[in-house]
């Protein structure tokens, strides 16, 4: 699949046509920075001075380039499709190659920035356990009760630590149940779905 | 205590007697005292043997239940009683397409120790997501814990 570029995008990106490769790499870096942190007018005016164009042209080019990168990373399109996307701009071959390399370089990072935008469910981080035997308490002396204390660390996305406890019977039940869950992923039904939804 | 049976007795004395008796029962429960010990202590203070017999008879009947009740009274971390899992396939989200990853959602149901055995005081369940490798890690650690217990027990 190919990302569709509007006329506005094409006009904004026309600025990139004349650039040497080093400046192109700079522009790509500024575009990714724009995706991460938002616009940075100082950098735009600096670049505008060097290239002898107006800052608003630079701003338009950066925003259009970051749109191209973001849409392509979002759909995780291949290099070929990326080049097809750029075909419509009628850039010279070296510019296309340069942009393709930049895309490959930043794709993972852009995808992780986009992932931060949507909500995340609490995600498992670590679990540790300890086995204690409760010997006595205020209300009852002379007890023998083994207790497993469990420390569960999750990312929600801030790290969170919870302390839980359980006894041996419940623990065995939990282990058996979760093993059944793991088995489920290896089942034919699951494999079929994973294979066919690529 | 407002009924006619007790009207002849001064209410303050009545309250003291009640709290004294309750305290005595709880102390006996705490030390898991058998009825013979209780009878020995009581006979130092009460001369009426038929009353003592009545009390000891009642105590023997409820002592098992009393010990069980006292063992659960106290403070604890939430106690896991059940686990629920769900396997889903994460395809895409609003901002990111083509994710295509299997995702487990695991939930531990917990229970806090309650003041009365009949009250069902469930704390909020503990939920989290994980991928296959993380679930495997979790299961292996817990399996190891259970194995260690069996080893100690053997």
């Amino acid at each position: 699949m190919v990302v569709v570029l509007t006329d506005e995008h094409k006009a904004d990106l026309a600025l990139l046509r004349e650039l040497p490769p080093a400046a192109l790499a700079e522009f790509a870096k500024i575009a990714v920075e724009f995706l991460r942190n938002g616009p940075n007018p100082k950098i735009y005016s600096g670049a505008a001075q060097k290239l002898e164009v107006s800052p608003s042209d630079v701003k338009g080019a950066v925003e259009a380039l970051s749109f191209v990168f973001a849409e392509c990373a979002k759909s995780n399109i291949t290099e070929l499709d990326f080049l097809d996307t750029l075909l419509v701009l009628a850039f010279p071959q070296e510019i296309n190659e340069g942009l393709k390399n930049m895309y490959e370089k930043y794709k993972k990072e852009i995808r992780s920035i986009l992932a931060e935008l949507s909500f995340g469910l609490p995600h498992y981080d670590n679990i540790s356990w300890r086995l204690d035997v409760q010997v006595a308490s205020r209300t009852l002396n002379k007890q023998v009760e083994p207790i497993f204390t469990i420390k569960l660390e999750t990312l929600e996305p801030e790290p969170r630590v919870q302390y839980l406890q359980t006894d041996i019977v419940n623990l065995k039940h939990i282990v058996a149940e979760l093993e059944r869950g793991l088995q489920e992923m290896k089942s034919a039904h699951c494999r079929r779905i994973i294979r066919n939804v690529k | 205590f407002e009924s006619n049976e007790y009207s002849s007795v001064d209410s303050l004395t009545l309250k003291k007697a009640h709290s004294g008796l309750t305290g005595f029962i709880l102390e006996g429960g705490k030390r898991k005292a058998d009825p013979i010990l209780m009878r020995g202590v009581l006979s130092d203070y009460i001369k009426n043997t038929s009353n003592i017999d009545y009390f000891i008879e009642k105590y023997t009947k409820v002592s098992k239940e009393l010990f069980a009740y006292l063992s659960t009274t106290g403070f604890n971390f939430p106690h896991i009683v059940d686990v629920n899992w769900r396997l889903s396939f994460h395809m895409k989200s609003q901002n990111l397409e083509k994710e295509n990853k299997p995702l487990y959602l695991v939930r531990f149901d917990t229970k806090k120790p309650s003041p009365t055995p009949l009250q069902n005081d469930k704390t909020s369940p503990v939920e989290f997501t994980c991928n296959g490798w993380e679930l495997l890690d979790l299961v292996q650690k817990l399996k190891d814990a259970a194995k260690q217990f069996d080893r100690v027990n053997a």
Side-chain angles (χ1 to χ4, degrees):
Chain A
M1 58 160 287
V2 163
V3 175
V4 176
L5 298 173
T6 64
D7 291 332
E8 272 185 12
H9 288 142
K10 293 183 209 164
D12 287 334
L13 287 170
L15 175 63
L16 299 175
R17 189 169 292 145
E18 316 296 317
L19 295 180
L24 204 64
E26 265 305 303
F27 255 96
K29 215 167 76 159
I30 298 175
V32 175
E33 273 304 309
F34 171 75
L35 280 175
R36 201 182 301 130
N37 295 333
N40 190 341
K42 280 190 280 192
I43 295 193
Y44 294 164
S45 42
Q49 271 183 338
K50 260 194 281 189
L51 298 167
E52 292 163 10
V53 290
S54 71
S56 60
D57 282 344
V58 173
K59 183 160 175 281
V62 167
E63 286 176 9
L65 188 60
S66 42
F67 171 78
V68 173
F69 277 165
E71 285 299 310
C72 295
K74 176 167 154 181
S75 311
N76 212 7
I77 67 176
T78 60
E79 295 180 2
L80 243 73
D81 286 338
F82 184 73
L83 286 174
D84 287 340
T85 311
L86 295 180
L87 266 180
V88 85
L89 297 166
F91 280 171
Q93 191 55 21
E94 314 87 59
I95 306 264
N96 281 350
E97 278 301 310
L99 282 175
K100 189 191 81 172
N101 292 337
M102 295 294 120
Y103 170 67
E104 284 305 307
K105 189 169 148 195
Y106 288 117
K107 186 162 74 167
K108 227 177 184 177
E109 203 181 323
I110 297 176
R111 274 182 82 83
S112 69
I113 296 174
L114 288 174
E116 280 171 37
L117 283 176
S118 74
F119 62 92
L121 295 164
H123 196 90
Y124 165 83
D125 195 20
N126 192 20
I127 202 168
S128 23
W129 58 270
R130 54 181 275 177
L131 171 58
D132 297 318
V133 176
Q134 179 166 328
V135 178
S137 74
R138 179 184 172 184
T139 48
L140 189 63
N141 303 352
K142 302 188 212 176
Q143 298 174 28
V144 178
E145 200 184 326
I147 291 185
F148 284 94
T149 311
I150 292 180
K151 178 176 169 186
L152 175 66
E153 291 164 53
T154 50
L155 301 166
E156 303 179 5
E158 314 84 38
R160 176 178 168 196
V161 176
Q162 281 171 287
Y163 294 99
L164 308 163
Q165 71 175 50
T166 184
D167 50 75
I168 183 66
V169 175
N170 279 318
L171 185 66
K172 290 206 162 149
H173 166 63
I174 290 171
V175 167
E177 204 49 58
L178 290 178
E179 272 186 330
R180 234 169 281 159
L182 277 173
Q183 285 301 323
E184 205 41 54
M185 189 159 81
K186 303 184 192 155
S187 72
H189 177 76
C190 229
R191 285 189 203 258
R192 211 181 311 140
I193 293 198
I194 293 179
R195 231 191 347 252
N196 290 334
V197 183
K198 271 285 179 284
Chain B
F1 280 172
E2 300 296 319
S3 67
N4 288 331
E5 289 175 20
Y6 300 106
S7 54
S8 57
V9 186
D10 169 36
S11 63
L12 187 58
T13 320
L14 206 52
K15 283 197 182 118
K16 278 189 186 171
H18 178 254
S19 57
L21 196 60
T22 317
F24 179 59
I25 296 173
L26 284 175
E27 272 300 309
K30 184 158 95 171
R31 291 155 210 272
K32 280 194 173 165
D34 53 61
I36 304 175
L37 181 61
M38 299 288 270
R39 181 190 284 274
V41 175
L42 262 183
S43 54
D44 287 344
Y45 299 97
I46 298 182
K47 302 303 163 191
N48 189 341
T49 44
S50 62
N51 279 357
I52 296 183
D53 288 338
Y54 180 73
F55 175 77
I56 295 297
E57 189 192 318
K58 289 281 177 219
Y59 177 77
T60 324
K61 240 195 274 179
V62 299
S63 53
K64 257 213 173 77
E65 215 179 292
L66 178 67
F67 298 153
Y69 177 63
L70 285 177
S71 73
T72 57
T73 308
F75 64 99
N76 273 328
F77 293 124
H79 193 99
I80 303 179
V81 288
D82 196 12
V83 69
N84 242 314
W85 59 267
R86 188 179 98 190
L87 172 58
S88 63
F89 191 64
H90 179 50
M91 284 182 63
K92 55 167 79 175
S93 68
Q94 183 179 354
N95 295 310
L96 206 52
E97 307 189 356
K98 296 273 185 76
E99 286 263 357
N100 296 346
K101 276 184 264 183
L103 195 71
Y104 280 97
L105 191 72
V106 178
R107 187 175 77 181
F108 289 129
D109 288 329
T110 63
K111 194 167 164 208
K112 263 247 151 180
S114 52
T116 67
L118 299 168
Q119 224 178 63
N120 225 0
D121 203 7
K122 276 207 168 84
T123 51
S124 60
V126 177
E127 288 183 341
F128 56 88
T129 59
C130 57
N131 60 40
W133 299 114
E134 288 162 351
L135 188 64
L136 187 65
D137 172 58
L138 171 73
V139 170
Q140 276 175 343
K141 286 197 173 132
L142 293 181
K143 219 168 162 182
D144 185 40
K147 225 188 300 177
Q148 294 294 332
F149 178 85
D150 287 334
R151 203 147 56 93
V152 169
N153 217 14

